[in-house]
Amino acid sequence: MKVPPRPPGPPQRFLTGSFREFRTDLLGFLERSARQYGDVVSFRLGRRPCLLVNHPDLIESVLVKNSRNFIKPFAFRFTRAVLGNGLLTSEGSFWLRQRRLAAGAFQAERIAGYGPDMVSSAVRMLANWRDGETRDIHADMMQVTLGIVARTLFGADVTEQSHEIGESLLLALRSFGANFSRRIPLPSWIPTSGNRKARAAVRGLNGVVRQIIDRRRHETQPRADLLSMMLHARDEDGSQMTDEQLLDEVRTFLLAGHETTAITLSWTLYLLANHPHEQARLHAELDTVLAGRLPEVADLARLPIAGRIVQEAMRLYPPAFMIGRENVAEFELGGYTIPAGTTIFMSQWVMHRDGRFYDRPEQFEPERWAAPSIQSLPKMAYFPFGAGPRVCIGNSFAMMESVLLLATIAQQWSLAPVADHPIRLAPVLTLRPRHGIKVVLHRRQNAETGPCETGGAIPLTVQPRSSADV
């Protein structure tokens, strides 16, 4: 049978291809392309050949079954100015070594031990909330998750530097977005305004990270967190990580480790504020299971509604809304022969809203994740953390953190939407809310003397989870 020369796709401009649509309306472009042209869509970004893949079997072929044939795409080269050669951007044997090293910090028993820090961090945040006030919960989630990553993985308190780190991350994302939106991306060494700001942001971040590393090197008491593992790890030849490698990895985990969880929680709370029935169901579950005490890791299995709410929020608003790969050799996909060097995009935003796999895909329905509803769902129709060898190393950490923080917040507070606050999506590296997410806070009546008002020590008994995907 004759192989078609290339997959169908939207009309292309002579020089720029689909660059304008990709830059100005990324999510809309992805959705329209998938719905109009099918499971494999061909387009160009400038001279670069691209595919959009829109079927679970084909996505599995790229991310899982043939993962050795792919590397990170060209767009990730722009992030190296911020993340360096860290776990998100590195390739080959170096990436594998770093991945194996970091995996020890994300084993099931170790993740369970992070639970008390997560809950106590949420309690400290809630101490600043007031009944009836309007808050930007996205800003709150960014700050609390940054503190959790710093404490649990690096044993550091970055409360005083949290604003600086947040601003640096925002500058870095803006620099990446500006460069990615150019028809001809500019190297990071060209002294544009955006590049100068990005370099300044990295210098500020490196200053914070060096302080964390230097303090740890002078400690006499041993620790078992990720930073200690990286400081003491030795390669097969006996060499240790260089200072530059340490900076890259700590910076990567500090930034990426809190960004996606903060976005997950922000959209989760936004959805609950706009769906009072689901919020009431969550409150009832928390009141029954927790009976007024703070949540613990051992409670996670008894909070199915909370877990489903987080899963559904990540379906509708996946923090990582698109994954890219570039094939290093020619291969066949969906009946087409794909030349080497093609950039292949797979979008969680598109797949998670595909009516072939989800009833009422635009609706917020957490119970769709209850058995037996999910048993017929194809594996790669839902992949918020990616898949294959490069699946997010912190997926279990992020899920546990999301559910524990959600339970701690919702136990004490109910949320209502702010009618005149604009909700706009900002898809760059992650799916941020462009103007934040504002809600009105209402203290729950049965929580007036609850644990969030004590301000004292919080004794928590932590039990390891029975299983975890790390």
Side-chain angles (χ1 to χ4, degrees), residues 126 192 204 227 251 262 285 330:
L126 296 178
T192 64
L227 180 55
R251 199 165 62 239
E285 176 179 79
E330 181 181 278

Side-chain angles (χ1 to χ4, degrees), residues 111 197 233 274 360:
I111 289 176
K197 289 179 180 179
N274 285 276
R360 300 171 298 281

Side-chain angles (χ1 to χ4, degrees), residues 30 94 101 111 129 139 143 153 178 187 206 211 219 232 271 280 302 338 354 358 371 374-375 400:
L30 296 174
F94 179 81
L101 173 63
I111 289 176
W129 288 19
Q143 187 168 13
L153 299 186
N206 281 343
Q211 290 178 16
E219 286 183 0
H232 299 107
L271 288 164
R302 299 195 296 146
I338 310 301
D354 194 320
Y358 297 97
I374 62 171
Q375 293 176 350
M400 185 181 82

